[in-house]
Amino acid sequence: QVQLVESGGGLVQAGGSLRLSCRANRSVFSANSMAWYRRAGGKERELVAGITRGGATEYAEAVKGRFTISRDVGQNSVDLQMNNLKPEDTAVYYCNYVSSQPVYDVWGQGTQVTVSS
């Protein structure tokens, strides 16, 4: 069973930075991909950033140039560095782990990010 533990959320002023971390109980290379999603109040969950086993990354247009996803192999974690935060980045952020052998599609519990104007 894959377990994910997220940390790093909080309250920050616009223009500030936060770093989210998602630690798994197995190697990040066991996943086909890992990603960060977010859900703002009243909206559907949306992809923020993802990284494949091979290291390819993708980002939502709204966060390109401000957010960076990376892996910390020693910590079995996938981190999301968020810079120049905006009030519209306010949301609950969720980590996602997907693998095919065995098949897993696991979500973290979510961490709140609030950006004040």
Side-chain angles (χ1 to χ4, degrees):
Q1 184 72 19
V2 176
Q3 294 179 330
L4 305 174
V5 178
E6 298 147 338
S7 61
L11 172 65
V12 66
Q13 288 188 329
S17 298
L18 284 173
R19 187 176 183 89
L20 305 183
S21 182
C22 172
R23 179 174 289 188
N25 63 342
R26 60 183 61 196
S27 169
V28 294
F29 290 113
S30 65
N32 290 24
S33 66
M34 293 186 70
W36 284 95
Y37 287 74
R38 67 187 180 188
R39 176 179 285 157
K43 298 183 179 180
E44 293 190 357
R45 186 157 50 190
E46 63 176 358
L47 175 69
V48 176
I51 185 166
T52 69
R53 178 184 292 143
T57 58
E58 66 171 320
Y59 296 92
E61 284 295 326
V63 306
K64 282 183 179 178
R66 299 187 297 121
F67 291 10
T68 303
I69 190 169
S70 62
R71 289 178 296 204
D72 185 330
V73 177
Q75 297 294 321
N76 289 338
S77 69
V78 172
D79 299 339
L80 185 68
Q81 178 65 43
M82 305 185 295
N83 298 326
N84 190 22
L85 283 159
K86 303 176 180 181
E88 52 263 42
D89 294 319
T90 295
V92 179
Y93 284 69
Y94 298 90
C95 180
N96 177 243
Y97 172 111
V98 174
S99 67
S100 57
Q101 292 182 341
V103 176
Y104 283 119
D105 185 354
V106 178
W107 294 89
Q109 80 281 3
T111 185
Q112 177 71 47
V113 171
T114 303
V115 184
S116 63
S117 58

